[in-house]
Amino acid sequence: NMKISQLEQRLRHAPVPVIGRIANDRLLLDMRTVAEDELDMVLDGLRYVLTRQNDESAAVIPPNTEKTHADA
């Protein structure tokens, strides 16, 4: 299992960064700061990180290495 701090770091370094904060051993995402048209990008970031959770090379992901919604 991935530690919360690892999840936070990986999301922060995803191709489309997802920024959260850790409180009480939980990663919190403030959805009030996400516009409706940005929801898919947040979900893509979560999927990207969670599908690579056992991949040690995903600990630090170089920015802009995969296609983003802006490129689609």
Side-chain angles (χ1 to χ4, degrees):
N1 289 345
M2 187 184 317
K3 292 182 181 181
I4 295 298
S5 60
Q6 290 174 312
L7 176 60
E8 186 271 338
Q9 180 185 18
R10 290 179 184 190
L11 284 170
R12 186 175 293 268
H13 292 94
V16 176
V18 177
I19 308 300
R21 65 183 175 89
I22 298 173
N24 298 321
D25 294 323
R26 293 181 182 185
L27 179 62
L28 305 175
L29 303 177
D30 187 353
M31 298 309 289
R32 297 174 297 173
T33 65
V34 178
E36 189 172 332
D37 63 338
E38 297 173 325
L39 288 174
D40 284 338
M41 288 188 287
V42 172
L43 290 172
D44 288 346
L46 289 167
R47 280 188 203 104
Y48 181 89
V49 169
L50 294 174
T51 58
R52 290 161 177 78
Q53 66 179 315
N54 294 324
D55 181 2
E56 289 301 318
S57 66
V60 177
I61 303 161
N64 302 320
T65 57
E66 287 196 3
K67 184 188 262 188
T68 64
H69 285 276
D71 298 329

